[in-house]
Amino acid sequence: MNKLAIATAVAGAGVVTLSLAPITAQARPAGPAAGPAWSSCTEESLDGLECATLSVPLDHAAPNGSKITLALSRARHTGTTGYQGVLLVNPGGPGGTGRDFALRVANHLPAGLRAAYDVIGFDPRGVGGSSPSLSCDPGYFKPVRPDYVPRTPSLESAWLSRSAAYAQACGRKYGALLSHLTTVDAARDLDAIRAALGEKQINYYGASYGTYLGAVYATLFPAHVRRMVLDSSVRPSGVWYADNLDQDRAFEGNINALFAWIAKYDAVYHLGTTEQAVRDAFYTTREKLTADPAGGVVGADELDDTYLVAGYIDLGAYWPYLASALARYRAGGTAALVDAYNRFGATTDDNGYAVYNAVQCTDVRWPRDWARWRRDNERLYAAGVRFETWANAWYNAPCAFWPARAGRPVDVGRTRGLPPVLLFQATNDAATPYAGGVEMSRRLAGSRLVIEDGGRTHGIVQRGNACVDEKFDAFLATGALPADRSHCARLPEPVPPSAAGIRPLTADRFPPVLRRP
């Protein structure tokens, strides 16, 4: 799935309340009694967390064979009573680092939940601080790259060669390791973490691809789930080729929403008073950058990658900043556009992309016949789905050449004994379109789906929507579930600063973005 970035009937009707009561300190120890050796993390991004490592089998079918290492983090519970166990968290990807995500989740929990849960983050196998940590071609995204849109046979040939070479580089460097990086492998790692922490059951919060990882875990180990929250769900039946085509349509809707928003504030940005006028301005700029990259680094592809963030989130300063960068470039300046690329579009770490491919290309078999890829993507592009179609195709194209044998996806939800799962989904999420939440809720019997009407942000828990967060917090606190298909209003769209100037940019104005699927 593109940037950073993942059924059958629902049983019963009405409001269901999970019967598991909070576990008291008298009922169990006030934390894991044994397991990983925790110590203060030394990395600045993990300040305030404890870190540890865990050795797991490369192949869980051969537990006495080769081992790999997982990197873990912990935000320890702060209370002395009412301990409720561990809350394992995953931000998605595949390829996203999970240790820092634990800090974000913990810092946004109300005091009562911080007192009750150890929040456990982990870098999945192959990712970040885990070992080995994959990297196939560190210079793969170095600008300026060939135009994503294969207008000529030479452009298509160039991208096919690049994609095949990337897959071959991964095969040369990692060989048989690539056969053991599936979502099923990661789910078994998740259960190994549970066992090492001395827990009979885990609580789990997964966003984006983390929803698919959580759903696979729940299917394989239903008795080991206490409470599970899935935020912005992957459509299980679409993994992964069809889900990416679905993304293209949804991102088209969100980039058009950005263009319409810019047009609404033409007095600030002067890019056009209609959605179509702004769209024309964007694509005229793209053509110009194809021939003359801004600052020597922002060509057509880099522009696409920069503005893709607008499809993931419409909170904070993202839309105003992107609108301003485009306006300033068209007024004759390049600095703002280059800065926007460096902030939102540049890919400097190959690890996430390497693991993204390693997981998705081996979870399930992708089409090997490039003619099918060309036909499907040409059809979308010709139908007006221009913004992300070819960018997404080339992002995933190494899967057409991947050197590891693909497996068969888990039939998510075909299990017994799983407690009700709480799901959140925005209706205009592009990275994991709304249909994914609907299908996931049907597959996980007894689950409850909370819908953010009109929302365009990918990952809606802990974004400041009180209606969403109250349901999330109540579920973790007591197991209370809302009625299925509960609705929350979306957060307001951003409002640009006045034409007098742009306020200084601070981190709080750019809330974190869950990229990929």
Side-chain angles (χ1 to χ4, degrees):
M1 315 285 290
N2 216 308
K3 289 182 180 177
L4 324 212
I6 216 176
T8 50
V10 174
V15 179
V16 175
T17 301
L18 196 62
S19 61
L20 292 172
I23 301 173
T24 66
Q26 290 71 35
R28 62 182 297 163
W38 298 100
S39 61
S40 296
C41 299
T42 58
E43 298 172 44
E44 184 178 352
S45 64
L46 305 177
D47 187 40
L49 297 176
E50 297 174 306
C51 284
T53 58
L54 178 66
S55 177
V56 297
L58 171 64
D59 181 355
H60 284 279
N64 296 320
S66 300
K67 299 293 193 296
I68 60 174
T69 301
L70 303 178
L72 314 179
S73 68
R74 178 173 69 175
R76 192 174 178 86
H77 70 286
T78 59
T80 57
T81 61
Y83 179 68
Q84 295 209 52
V86 296
L87 173 63
L88 277 84
V89 299
N90 180 271
T97 58
R99 290 184 298 163
D100 52 348
F101 191 58
L103 187 62
R104 178 196 152 187
V105 172
N107 285 345
H108 283 83
L109 290 176
L113 293 179
R114 280 291 288 117
Y117 286 98
D118 284 342
V119 182
I120 306 294
F122 62 100
D123 288 350
R125 55 175 56 202
V127 175
S130 294
S131 180
S133 181
L134 272 63
S135 177
C136 301
D137 180 358
Y140 190 72
F141 288 97
K142 182 179 179 180
V144 174
R145 286 162 284 130
D147 189 349
Y148 286 138
V149 182
R151 308 166 191 270
T152 65
S154 62
L155 279 170
E156 181 178 29
S157 178
W159 271 108
L160 285 171
S161 296
R162 284 172 59 87
S163 302
Y166 190 88
Q168 292 160 6
C170 292
R172 285 194 303 270
K173 291 188 73 171
Y174 299 109
L177 174 66
L178 296 183
S179 297
H180 300 288
L181 292 167
T182 66
T183 299
V184 170
D185 292 311
R188 297 193 182 281
D189 289 345
L190 193 58
D191 204 56
I193 295 171
R194 175 202 60 79
L197 295 174
E199 301 288 335
K200 292 183 179 180
Q201 294 181 312
I202 62 167
N203 307 282
Y204 178 85
Y205 166 56
S208 192
Y209 164 78
T211 65
Y212 185 64
L213 173 59
V216 169
Y217 180 82
T219 302
L220 297 177
F221 304 102
H224 294 172
V225 176
R226 180 174 179 262
R227 292 174 188 158
M228 177 171 284
V229 179
L230 305 181
D231 180 6
S232 304
S233 289
V234 167
R235 182 168 66 91
S237 64
V239 296
W240 288 109
Y241 183 77
D243 277 352
N244 277 278
L245 295 175
D246 290 345
Q247 271 192 333
D248 298 340
R249 300 180 185 93
F251 274 113
E252 191 71 21
N254 280 4
I255 197 66
N256 285 338
L258 171 67
F259 296 153
W261 180 88
I262 294 173
K264 180 180 176 181
Y265 294 103
D266 182 62
V268 177
Y269 301 115
H270 309 295
L271 290 169
T273 59
T274 66
E275 175 188 319
Q276 186 60 51
V278 178
R279 183 180 178 86
D280 290 345
F282 178 86
Y283 282 103
T284 300
T285 299
R286 191 182 190 281
E287 289 298 319
K288 181 178 179 181
L289 293 171
T290 303
D292 183 18
V297 294
V298 184
D301 294 2
E302 292 73 28
L303 181 75
D304 292 349
D305 293 351
T306 300
Y307 281 77
L308 181 61
V309 71
Y312 279 90
I313 187 169
D314 59 358
L315 305 177
Y318 289 98
W319 283 18
Y321 186 71
L322 291 169
S324 176
L326 182 61
R328 290 181 178 185
Y329 174 77
R330 291 180 63 82
T334 62
L337 193 60
V338 172
D339 181 69
Y341 166 70
N342 288 331
R343 285 178 181 271
F344 308 133
T347 301
T348 57
D349 181 6
D350 182 54
N351 175 242
Y353 185 57
V355 176
Y356 172 91
N357 281 287
V359 174
Q360 292 202 1
C361 298
T362 49
D363 265 354
V364 61
R365 184 173 176 82
W366 289 64
R368 292 284 177 159
D369 180 6
W370 183 252
R372 178 179 173 188
W373 292 65
R374 183 191 298 115
R375 181 175 63 251
D376 290 342
N377 286 280
E378 282 180 344
R379 184 181 298 117
L380 277 175
Y381 194 82
V385 184
R386 296 176 59 188
F387 175 66
E388 185 60 7
T389 293
W390 281 109
N392 210 3
W394 296 123
Y395 196 89
N396 290 281
C399 288
F401 309 98
W402 201 248
R405 183 177 179 180
R408 299 181 64 181
V410 169
D411 192 4
V412 164
R414 310 294 188 181
T415 190
R416 294 179 179 271
L418 180 67
V421 175
L422 181 59
L423 301 98
F424 294 91
Q425 199 84 20
T427 56
N428 291 322
D429 183 353
T432 52
Y434 177 69
V438 173
E439 181 179 310
M440 190 73 84
S441 71
R442 289 174 177 166
R443 284 177 172 264
L444 302 178
S447 64
R448 294 293 180 266
L449 175 62
V450 177
I451 301 164
E452 186 183 66
D453 293 313
R456 299 186 185 279
T457 293
H458 178 55
I460 61 174
V461 170
Q462 296 186 335
R463 294 287 193 184
N465 189 325
C467 175
V468 168
D469 291 346
E470 286 166 2
K471 293 173 175 59
F472 175 74
D473 295 343
F475 180 61
L476 289 184
T478 67
L481 283 160
D484 191 29
R485 307 299 173 94
S486 296
H487 289 262
C488 291
R490 58 154 296 160
L491 293 173
E493 284 188 343
V495 176
S498 70
I502 304 296
R503 290 175 292 165
L505 299 175
T506 58
D508 64 294
R509 297 186 63 220
F510 293 113
V513 181
L514 297 173
R515 304 288 281 266
R516 307 207 179 278

